[in-house]
Amino acid sequence: MTTTSTSDPQPDAAQQTPSKAQDSTTAASSPSSVTPTPGISPVAEQLRRTVDGAWWELRERARTELAPEDLLGEPGLPVEEQRERVLRQLLRVAEQGYGRVGFPTEYGGTYNYGASCVLFEMQALGDLSLLVKTGVQFGLFGGAVMRLGTERHFATYLEDIMTCKLLGCFAMTEVGHGSNVQRLETTAVYDDATQEIVLDSPTESSVKTYIGNAARDGRMAVVFAQLRTAEGEHGVHAILVPIRDAEGTPLPGVTIGDNGDKAGLPGVDNGTLAFHGVRVPKANLLNAFGDIDDNGRYVSDIESSNRRFFTMLGTLVRGRVCVGGGSGAAAKKALAIALRYGSVRRQFEAPGQEEETVVLDYLAHQRKLLPRLAKSYALSFAQNSVTELLQELHGTPQVDGQERDENAGRELETRVAGLKATTTWHAVDTIQVCREACGGAGYLADNQLGQMRADVDVFATFEGDNTVLMQLVAKGLLTEFAEVWGGLAGPELVSKLSKQVAGGVVERTTGRAGIQRLVDLAKGRDNESAMDDHGWQLSMFEQRADHALETLGMRLRKANKENAFQLFNNAQDHVLFAARTHIDRVILEEAQAAYTEMTGGPAKELLGRTLTLYALDSIEQDKAWFIEHGRLNTTRSRLVTATINELCGELRGHVTDLVDALGIPDELITAPIAQR
Amino acid sequence: MTTTSTSDPQPDAAQQTPSKAQDSTTAASSPSSVTPTPGISPVAEQLRRTVDGAWWELRERARTELAPEDLLGEPGLPVEEQRERVLRQLLRVAEQGYGRVGFPTEYGGTYNYGASCVLFEMQALGDLSLLVKTGVQFGLFGGAVMRLGTERHFATYLEDIMTCKLLGCFAMTEVGHGSNVQRLETTAVYDDATQEIVLDSPTESSVKTYIGNAARDGRMAVVFAQLRTAEGEHGVHAILVPIRDAEGTPLPGVTIGDNGDKAGLPGVDNGTLAFHGVRVPKANLLNAFGDIDDNGRYVSDIESSNRRFFTMLGTLVRGRVCVGGGSGAAAKKALAIALRYGSVRRQFEAPGQEEETVVLDYLAHQRKLLPRLAKSYALSFAQNSVTELLQELHGTPQVDGQERDENAGRELETRVAGLKATTTWHAVDTIQVCREACGGAGYLADNQLGQMRADVDVFATFEGDNTVLMQLVAKGLLTEFAEVWGGLAGPELVSKLSKQVAGGVVERTTGRAGIQRLVDLAKGRDNESAMDDHGWQLSMFEQRADHALETLGMRLRKANKENAFQLFNNAQDHVLFAARTHIDRVILEEAQAAYTEMTGGPAKELLGRTLTLYALDSIEQDKAWFIEHGRLNTTRSRLVTATINELCGELRGHVTDLVDALGIPDELITAPIAQR
């Protein structure tokens, strides 16, 4: 990353689609074409190329093209100055053309849906206020217009959105409804006399809140509201509503509030929006999934308003992909800081030694940081995989009449929900541990960890509350075999369920050659396999996930209208366990698949050990479950712990490579404690 | 708590010593004398009286006397204004006489050492920047003068310290040494010619850093430095060094820096101090443990400089008692906010229900908050207990020649170290979970959680890094039977160790009638006891702690000069486990002891169930250990989880009482989401 940047470079790399999705004549598919980075070992270089995944070239360009001053924040400025700074940087991002990534080429975009997620990850290595502001403008606001709108909106708004001439909000959440958005209270009533839609906030709890871009900069909002025509209610729809005039004065009927100071993200102007008889032309309805025709009648291809709503939400899945990826990137940066500092910081002399011991040589310090580093690696591959899947399913503009693969879409949504929850929690936990691992130094703003920690906090609850998302994962899995719940008796059910699990949902999650073979080879020798046997690890993850899901299914099969809530509620810890273990399995599978595809050598070997650490750490955390269910005997369960300790010692010697391979530009690590 | 306060009330309650340490003619010993608090049930009232412990009267007075405007912060102000606000509030605290608590009566104090810790807890219900600033002035700076100084310092400085006429710093930590303070590099060289001590910061890493009161307000510092006389080195000593003149200009030779923005505690002016040939009179040496006589010779009652150093540090143990108590209070406040909000917030309708479900009715929500609430209760009793022990051992001025009980002192230090680590980690974790449990609302500054979370973060690493403290706990335990490590063979050693464990350290931790009896009754029927059998719970905690310590001792007995570091390092996870389980045991024992002493009735019953939830939650977290070591069969291990879920459901119905009994004045819970 250079400290100056040429003006207005078109981000050509952003046009790159993943190499595997294209013909392989591009340089993208050949690791040997990577320009060696000064000061980085060939092992780190190769590992980084693997972690970078399909869009590695975009990542490389972002590393050199994005100037630090365009990305980094300035902790300590008062909120108003933070907001000004972030707006300035947002405009600069747009000026550089990065706002165009992810929009259709026919409207000036450099259409590549997956690339927009990868770019988001790279921007997350800078200030997270800027990241979220960017996400609100191009991802949430722009994305909603693109996905929920049609031609009439594209032509009118997209260019202005990409260039930030029009700044906008994504006004979904209300005071009363964050998770259960189907119950939003804002009303959008169609007035056929004027062919206008009238927006109202009928209650205090219907006021839109936490809306980014609302408190200060937004001029327009995509407002989610209950649409009503003369015929009746049609459920939640999105409507484009101007909220301020060109000078920034709120328009008549629009009441704007400021959410004020927050626990983090000081540069994002979150605010409240309330509407009182605000009229917009009918054409402002984002009408991809439902419209009002010339006769004032509501029309939609999707009859069920429930299904229509979830289809609409489904098209917005990219937001969760980005939030997961962004938080994962922040966690990596925190690890880089803590690991670099831990590699030079000395404290306490060993007996008989004059010089004090490097803190990362302590097992306790290793155990704090290295399993989290290993998990960061594993998560990277899962993130790359959902990004590719997103590109595959959503990456091309929908052609009228062309059916999307609904099952694949649901599977993507389920996986993204779980991965978003897992990664954001990982980030909150990891950045915190990194802060503590740096002691008082970690608490100083200069060392970057504090702001990151405060900013990433909310990632665990926005774009879907993590706990709610994990329940969604479980529900998604359960839905797949809901039909067998009926009149089946015990053993028969188990067999059905198992088959369903084996052949249905879970099968699809593997989807990679080699993985199932590894598992099959390992099966039946649970208590003999070596700890570093990837097949055995996968098999353990598989058994944990399958058993959790099967028993959950059995437990819930007694559900009927009267007891369903109580039954589901009583099983909530089981539900969350099933979801988590499913996602953990997806993560390990994707990571092992990427490992399998690597060319042999020291980089592959290093990744292999790193992923073993991730796998064993996860097994150790569920040790009790594995023992209770006869998947580990107590001898082996202790061996798991011993092996983790050994691996920590081994990987400690490779920390420089493992940090370098994360691919964080040195210029973005400004922390004085973490300089090379 | 009233919103106005009379001016200059002498905090008489602060003079109260714990009722049990005094004659019992005071009202303190009779719960019936508690003035009923409006809006609080008798059950909550009685429970609160129990949780309040020995200094309940001081707590009650603090609740009514401390005005919210004197305690609450103003999130969002720029750092300079935060610092001004906190200084203003600090002066107000002093004006009200609260600075006198904990200082000897003959110098104007209201000498009660334990009371000063309890007051600290109560102040922690307000702004934590103010709390830390107060702690720096009266606790660290004032406490060091009082504990490490002698008559000549008391007469000169204590009145000015208590009234804040003299603001001071506790300058221990250096850039290079936070945990290993025995290796501080600042030098204090005695110049016999002028009878002065000359202070120098010889290296970059010797610069004092993170020093509260240094960046802006301090006029003097207690500087920890390596004392050297013509005879040689005498180890770390504390010296009073003026750093600014009356106008606030740094004195010649003193370089002062500002640590700038931090992840939290914006109102505390942390800074750096460096010294270049700064001369102070010999009398500025805080000479309770070592002095320079009229002939320029170093004199001390304690010959070993190592032992002298740790004795000095030991007298400062109150700092850790306060940090633990303060963070525990903050966690309670966060729980009160999240539980109140959870009791009214609704989201998602149950099938067939029109109204949405109160989120605290979801098991997943209960499991987030209620075990942490239970742990907060348990920790309260352990905190009360160390505060009483502190009062007992340090609460009276040391009379010359009177030996302190060294063993009891070590035991106190060990317990305080472990409790500080456990409580601060609990606070960091709990406030975070509370934030998430409140969703986007929890992220708004108005709802108080964000600032608390950011502020309490550093409690985990200041006043002793938690991981280092936990190792100190283990070392303390191991030291107790170090003598048996020698030439003993396996089985003989085990027997010796067990006896040692049973009769030595651990015995002393129980120290309460009834507890051992309960355990003995439960022994031998591990797999039959009811889950709510307190004796069985205690026995499980005891077995876990004893086994961890015994096996650790065996593992380390092979230590010799060559392998000691490696052996200890390889066992660090075991070391930390032994420490944690020891402290967990202390916590449960203290809590069960307080429960046992309660008069029967619904309040006692409620506390009993709450403590059972704490115990089972801890057992569940170590399930794997209990199964591996044959202390739980898998049937019972599942029963543990099932019982936790049941208890969550039961306690959910008592949340109002459980929150009210925490005794947080309504006026300090300003969060709009948590109003009654």
Side-chain angles (χ1 to χ4, degrees):
Chain A
M1 187 166 286
T2 54
T3 47
T4 57
S5 69
T6 56
S7 67
D8 282 339
Q10 283 300 312
D12 300 330
Q15 296 184 35
Q16 177 207 356
T17 42
S19 48
K20 64 171 54 172
Q22 297 231 320
D23 72 17
S24 57
T25 55
T26 64
S29 55
S30 158
S32 62
S33 68
V34 179
T35 321
T37 312
I40 289 184
S41 79
V43 167
E45 195 82 42
Q46 201 198 333
L47 195 50
R48 184 168 77 186
R49 172 63 187 77
T50 302
V51 176
D52 275 357
W55 282 272
W56 68 272
E57 207 180 0
L58 169 60
R59 291 187 202 264
E60 273 300 310
R61 292 215 189 160
R63 282 179 191 124
T64 50
E65 281 178 11
L66 289 168
E69 65 270 24
D70 290 340
L71 281 188
L72 290 170
E74 292 174 57
L77 292 183
V79 161
E80 267 318 303
E81 289 174 46
Q82 296 282 9
R83 289 176 174 183
E84 269 169 43
R85 187 256 309 163
V86 165
L87 177 62
R88 201 167 55 238
Q89 287 176 319
L90 170 68
L91 297 177
R92 173 84 186 128
V93 166
E95 195 181 298
Q96 290 173 304
Y98 285 107
R100 298 183 180 276
V101 181
F103 288 99
T105 42
E106 56 268 49
Y107 300 99
T110 58
Y111 201 97
N112 188 314
Y113 219 54
S116 67
C117 301
V118 170
L119 183 65
F120 194 85
E121 280 184 53
M122 297 310 292
Q123 288 170 327
L125 297 172
D127 175 53
L128 296 177
S129 284
L130 172 62
L131 182 78
V132 169
K133 184 92 170 177
T134 310
V136 166
Q137 171 67 17
F138 305 122
L140 292 178
F141 174 58
V145 172
M146 176 173 62
R147 288 303 182 184
L148 306 181
T150 53
E151 175 58 30
R152 69 185 187 220
H153 308 107
F154 304 159
T156 316
Y157 299 111
L158 287 188
E159 178 66 20
D160 286 353
I161 291 174
M162 293 184 285
T163 58
C164 285
K165 205 177 141 193
L166 175 66
L167 294 176
C169 312
F170 181 84
M172 182 182 272
T173 299
E174 297 176 356
V175 170
H177 289 92
S179 294
N180 188 15
V181 282
Q182 212 170 358
R183 292 272 292 236
L184 293 176
E185 296 176 83
T186 304
T187 56
V189 179
Y190 180 61
D191 178 356
D192 199 34
T194 60
Q195 305 226 332
E196 286 171 326
I197 296 170
V198 190
L199 286 116
D200 272 291
S201 308
T203 62
E204 265 186 56
S205 55
S206 72
V207 172
K208 299 288 179 188
T209 190
Y210 322 136
I211 309 301
N213 249 343
R216 185 179 182 273
D217 298 325
R219 296 294 182 262
M220 185 173 266
V222 171
V223 177
F224 289 81
Q226 303 287 353
L227 182 66
R228 191 187 307 156
T229 65
E231 303 148 283
E233 301 282 348
H234 308 289
V236 173
H237 284 68
I239 298 120
L240 279 169
V241 183
I243 57 168
R244 285 189 180 88
D245 64 20
E247 281 69 46
T249 309
L251 292 171
V254 181
T255 308
I256 304 182
D258 193 324
N259 282 134
D261 285 298
K262 304 187 299 289
L265 299 178
V268 183
D269 56 329
N270 297 89
T272 61
L273 294 173
F275 306 96
H276 313 285
V278 175
R279 291 178 167 265
V280 298
K282 187 180 81 169
N284 282 26
L285 176 66
L286 294 177
N287 58 334
F289 296 97
D291 204 356
I292 297 167
D293 70 12
D294 294 340
N295 305 316
R297 296 185 59 86
Y298 180 78
V299 286
S300 172
D301 291 343
I302 307 173
E303 208 167 316
S304 149
S305 86
N306 196 48
R307 190 159 150 254
R308 191 188 311 127
F309 177 68
F310 286 107
T311 305
M312 282 170 59
L313 283 192
T315 64
L316 306 176
V317 66
R318 182 179 61 169
R320 286 182 186 156
V321 176
C322 286
V323 165
S327 66
K332 287 179 191 172
K333 185 171 160 188
L335 283 164
I337 293 169
L339 285 164
R340 282 199 189 168
Y341 184 54
S343 303
V344 297
R345 174 75 175 174
R346 291 172 181 275
Q347 206 73 186
F348 293 112
E349 56 278 19
Q353 300 290 315
E354 182 48 31
E355 201 170 21
E356 291 173 282
T357 305
V358 172
V359 295
L360 197 55
D361 286 341
Y362 292 111
L363 176 63
H365 211 76
Q366 293 166 4
R367 287 211 54 145
K368 280 182 195 171
L369 299 178
L370 297 182
R372 289 177 170 89
L373 177 66
K375 187 168 183 177
S376 275
Y377 268 90
L379 285 168
S380 295
F381 299 112
Q383 180 69 27
N384 287 345
S385 159
V386 293
T387 309
E388 287 175 43
L389 200 56
L390 178 77
Q391 170 68 14
E392 205 178 296
L393 297 179
H394 292 236
T396 46
Q398 184 162 14
V399 181
D400 275 346
Q402 184 191 313
E403 275 281 307
R404 286 188 194 279
D405 178 345
E406 274 201 29
N407 277 338
R410 258 213 310 273
E411 166 64 19
L412 174 69
E413 285 170 44
T414 298
R415 198 185 275 209
V416 166
L419 196 59
K420 182 271 183 185
T422 306
T423 312
T424 54
W425 268 330
H426 167 71
V428 169
D429 162 67
T430 295
I431 304 175
Q432 177 61 26
V433 166
C434 288
R435 197 305 281 165
E436 290 181 27
C438 296
Y443 203 60
L444 300 186
D446 276 353
N447 288 320
Q448 300 186 292
L449 296 167
Q451 191 65 55
M452 241 194 289
R453 171 66 191 69
D455 292 342
V456 93
D457 182 344
V458 78
F459 283 50
T461 53
F462 72 14
E463 279 288 315
D465 175 87
N466 280 359
T467 303
V468 174
L469 290 180
M470 287 307 251
Q471 295 186 53
L472 211 133
V473 170
K475 281 179 190 165
L477 296 173
L478 288 167
T479 304
E480 297 269 334
F481 50 83
E483 63 266 28
V484 286
W485 283 14
L488 295 177
E492 197 183 344
L493 178 73
V494 177
S495 139
K496 276 256 187 188
L497 283 176
S498 306
K499 229 180 267 168
Q500 195 73 15
V501 168
V505 197
V506 181
E507 184 69 4
R508 213 174 308 129
T509 67
T510 61
R512 296 248 191 195
I515 291 298
Q516 195 54 47
R517 206 159 359 102
L518 274 173
V519 177
D520 293 341
L521 279 170
K523 269 191 180 150
R525 53 179 165 86
D526 281 3
N527 281 327
E528 294 156 38
S529 304
M531 287 283 140
D532 63 356
D533 179 337
H534 285 188
W536 171 72
Q537 295 159 12
L538 286 163
S539 158
M540 293 290 276
F541 275 57
E542 178 183 295
Q543 292 179 53
R544 179 175 57 175
D546 284 356
H547 188 277
L549 186 56
E550 284 166 27
T551 48
L552 180 62
M554 285 175 60
R555 200 168 159 182
L556 297 182
R557 90 195 143 98
K558 293 177 201 133
N560 56 40
K561 267 191 182 162
E562 281 68 46
N563 70 4
F565 174 76
Q566 205 51 52
L567 208 66
F568 199 80
N569 195 35
N570 290 346
Q572 256 188 344
D573 56 335
H574 194 162
V575 166
L576 295 175
F577 182 70
R580 176 170 66 74
T581 54
H582 169 72
I583 295 299
D584 286 345
R585 178 192 179 178
V586 168
I587 294 164
L588 185 65
E589 286 178 354
E590 293 301 339
Q592 301 285 32
Y595 163 82
T596 307
E597 285 167 21
M598 268 181 99
T599 317
K604 181 171 186 172
E605 204 191 309
L606 183 55
L607 180 60
R609 278 188 283 176
T610 304
L611 296 182
T612 290
L613 179 57
Y614 162 67
L616 294 184
D617 184 55
S618 174
I619 291 170
E620 192 187 43
Q621 283 173 39
D622 283 336
K623 240 186 184 183
W625 187 91
F626 284 107
I627 304 174
E628 280 176 350
H629 295 81
R631 264 70 172 188
L632 268 186
N633 60 35
T634 56
T635 310
R636 280 180 72 78
S637 96
R638 288 174 207 194
L639 189 57
V640 168
T641 302
T643 309
I644 290 173
N645 289 350
E646 259 173 50
L647 272 172
C648 280
E650 282 176 38
L651 294 181
R652 190 262 170 272
H654 298 276
V655 155
T656 307
D657 279 350
L658 287 169
V659 168
D660 287 347
L662 296 175
I664 304 160
D666 276 348
E667 291 82 354
L668 293 180
I669 300 181
T670 55
I673 57 171
Q675 296 310 298
R676 272 183 200 274
Chain B
M1 187 164 287
T2 54
T3 47
T4 58
S5 69
T6 56
S7 66
D8 282 339
Q10 284 301 309
D12 300 328
Q15 293 184 38
Q16 178 207 357
T17 42
S19 48
K20 63 169 57 172
Q22 297 230 318
D23 73 16
S24 57
T25 55
T26 64
S29 55
S30 159
S32 61
S33 68
V34 178
T35 320
T37 312
I40 289 185
S41 78
V43 167
E45 194 82 42
Q46 201 198 334
L47 195 49
R48 182 167 79 185
R49 171 64 187 79
T50 304
V51 176
D52 275 357
W55 281 273
W56 68 271
E57 208 180 358
L58 169 60
R59 291 188 203 264
E60 273 299 312
R61 294 215 189 161
R63 285 180 189 122
T64 49
E65 282 178 10
L66 289 170
E69 65 270 25
D70 290 340
L71 282 188
L72 290 170
E74 293 173 56
L77 291 183
V79 161
E80 268 318 303
E81 289 174 46
Q82 296 282 8
R83 289 176 174 184
E84 269 169 45
R85 187 257 308 164
V86 165
L87 177 62
R88 200 166 56 237
Q89 286 176 320
L90 170 68
L91 297 177
R92 172 85 186 129
V93 166
E95 195 182 297
Q96 290 173 303
Y98 285 108
R100 298 183 181 277
V101 182
F103 288 100
T105 42
E106 55 269 49
Y107 299 100
T110 57
Y111 201 95
N112 188 314
Y113 220 53
S116 67
C117 302
V118 170
L119 184 64
F120 194 85
E121 280 183 54
M122 297 310 292
Q123 288 170 327
L125 298 172
D127 174 54
L128 296 176
S129 283
L130 172 62
L131 181 78
V132 170
K133 184 92 170 178
T134 310
V136 166
Q137 172 67 14
F138 306 121
L140 292 177
F141 174 58
V145 172
M146 176 173 62
R147 287 304 182 181
L148 305 180
T150 54
E151 175 58 30
R152 69 186 188 219
H153 308 108
F154 304 159
T156 316
Y157 300 112
L158 287 189
E159 178 65 20
D160 287 354
I161 291 173
M162 293 183 287
T163 58
C164 286
K165 202 175 142 194
L166 176 65
L167 294 176
C169 312
F170 180 85
M172 181 182 270
T173 299
E174 297 176 356
V175 170
H177 290 92
S179 294
N180 188 14
V181 283
Q182 211 170 0
R183 293 271 294 237
L184 293 176
E185 296 176 84
T186 304
T187 58
V189 179
Y190 180 61
D191 178 356
D192 198 34
T194 59
Q195 306 228 330
E196 286 171 327
I197 296 170
V198 190
L199 286 115
D200 273 290
S201 308
T203 61
E204 265 185 56
S205 56
S206 73
V207 172
K208 300 289 180 188
T209 190
Y210 321 136
I211 310 301
N213 250 344
R216 184 178 182 273
D217 297 325
R219 297 293 182 260
M220 185 173 267
V222 171
V223 177
F224 290 82
Q226 302 288 352
L227 182 65
R228 190 188 306 155
T229 66
E231 303 149 281
E233 302 283 350
H234 308 290
V236 173
H237 284 67
I239 298 119
L240 280 168
V241 183
I243 56 168
R244 286 190 179 87
D245 64 20
E247 281 70 47
T249 310
L251 292 171
V254 181
T255 308
I256 304 182
D258 193 324
N259 282 135
D261 285 297
K262 305 187 297 292
L265 298 179
V268 183
D269 57 329
N270 297 89
T272 62
L273 294 173
F275 307 95
H276 313 285
V278 174
R279 289 175 168 268
V280 299
K282 187 180 80 171
N284 283 26
L285 177 68
L286 294 177
N287 58 335
F289 297 97
D291 204 355
I292 297 166
D293 70 12
D294 293 342
N295 304 315
R297 295 185 59 86
Y298 180 79
V299 286
S300 172
D301 291 344
I302 307 173
E303 210 168 314
S304 149
S305 85
N306 195 47
R307 191 160 149 253
R308 192 189 310 129
F309 176 69
F310 285 106
T311 305
M312 284 170 58
L313 283 193
T315 64
L316 305 177
V317 66
R318 182 180 59 169
R320 286 182 187 157
V321 175
C322 287
V323 165
S327 65
K332 287 179 191 172
K333 186 171 161 187
L335 283 164
I337 293 169
L339 284 165
R340 283 198 189 167
Y341 184 53
S343 304
V344 296
R345 173 76 175 175
R346 291 173 182 274
Q347 206 74 187
F348 292 112
E349 57 277 21
Q353 300 291 314
E354 181 48 30
E355 201 169 22
E356 291 173 282
T357 306
V358 171
V359 295
L360 198 54
D361 286 340
Y362 291 112
L363 176 63
H365 211 77
Q366 293 166 4
R367 287 213 53 146
K368 280 182 195 172
L369 299 177
L370 297 181
R372 289 176 171 90
L373 176 66
K375 187 168 183 177
S376 274
Y377 268 90
L379 285 167
S380 293
F381 299 112
Q383 180 69 25
N384 287 347
S385 158
V386 294
T387 309
E388 287 176 43
L389 200 56
L390 178 78
Q391 170 69 12
E392 205 178 297
L393 297 179
H394 293 235
T396 47
Q398 184 164 16
V399 181
D400 275 346
Q402 187 192 314
E403 275 280 305
R404 285 188 195 279
D405 179 344
E406 273 200 30
N407 277 339
R410 258 213 310 272
E411 166 65 18
L412 175 68
E413 285 170 43
T414 299
R415 198 185 275 209
V416 167
L419 196 59
K420 182 269 183 187
T422 306
T423 311
T424 53
W425 269 329
H426 167 70
V428 169
D429 162 67
T430 295
I431 303 175
Q432 177 61 25
V433 166
C434 288
R435 199 302 284 165
E436 290 181 27
C438 296
Y443 202 61
L444 300 187
D446 276 352
N447 287 320
Q448 300 185 292
L449 296 166
Q451 191 65 55
M452 243 196 287
R453 173 64 192 72
D455 292 342
V456 93
D457 181 345
V458 78
F459 284 49
T461 54
F462 73 13
E463 280 287 315
D465 174 87
N466 280 359
T467 303
V468 175
L469 291 180
M470 287 307 250
Q471 295 187 53
L472 211 133
V473 170
K475 281 180 188 164
L477 296 174
L478 288 168
T479 303
E480 297 269 334
F481 50 83
E483 64 266 26
V484 286
W485 284 14
L488 296 176
E492 199 182 343
L493 177 73
V494 178
S495 138
K496 276 256 188 187
L497 282 175
S498 306
K499 229 180 267 167
Q500 195 74 16
V501 168
V505 197
V506 180
E507 184 68 3
R508 212 174 308 129
T509 67
T510 61
R512 297 244 190 199
I515 292 299
Q516 195 54 48
R517 207 162 357 103
L518 275 173
V519 176
D520 292 341
L521 280 169
K523 268 190 182 149
R525 51 177 166 88
D526 281 4
N527 280 328
E528 293 156 39
S529 304
M531 286 282 140
D532 63 355
D533 179 337
H534 286 188
W536 170 74
Q537 295 160 11
L538 286 162
S539 159
M540 293 290 275
F541 275 58
E542 179 183 294
Q543 291 180 53
R544 178 175 59 174
D546 284 357
H547 188 277
L549 186 56
E550 284 166 26
T551 49
L552 180 62
M554 284 174 59
R555 199 169 159 182
L556 297 182
R557 88 196 145 97
K558 293 175 202 138
N560 56 40
K561 269 193 178 156
E562 281 68 47
N563 70 6
F565 174 76
Q566 204 51 53
L567 208 65
F568 199 80
N569 195 33
N570 289 346
Q572 254 187 347
D573 56 333
H574 194 162
V575 166
L576 295 175
F577 182 69
R580 176 169 66 74
T581 54
H582 170 72
I583 295 300
D584 286 346
R585 180 192 177 176
V586 168
I587 294 165
L588 185 64
E589 286 178 354
E590 293 301 338
Q592 302 285 32
Y595 162 81
T596 306
E597 285 168 20
M598 269 183 99
T599 316
K604 181 171 186 171
E605 203 191 309
L606 183 55
L607 179 61
R609 278 187 283 175
T610 305
L611 297 181
T612 290
L613 178 56
Y614 162 67
L616 295 184
D617 183 55
S618 174
I619 291 170
E620 191 187 44
Q621 282 172 41
D622 283 336
K623 240 186 185 184
W625 187 91
F626 285 106
I627 304 174
E628 279 176 351
H629 295 81
R631 263 72 174 188
L632 268 186
N633 59 36
T634 55
T635 310
R636 280 180 71 79
S637 96
R638 288 174 207 194
L639 189 57
V640 168
T641 301
T643 310
I644 291 173
N645 289 350
E646 260 172 48
L647 272 172
C648 281
E650 283 176 37
L651 294 181
R652 190 262 170 272
H654 298 275
V655 155
T656 307
D657 279 350
L658 287 169
V659 168
D660 287 347
L662 295 175
I664 303 161
D666 276 348
E667 291 81 353
L668 295 180
I669 300 181
T670 55
I673 57 171
Q675 297 309 298
R676 270 183 201 273

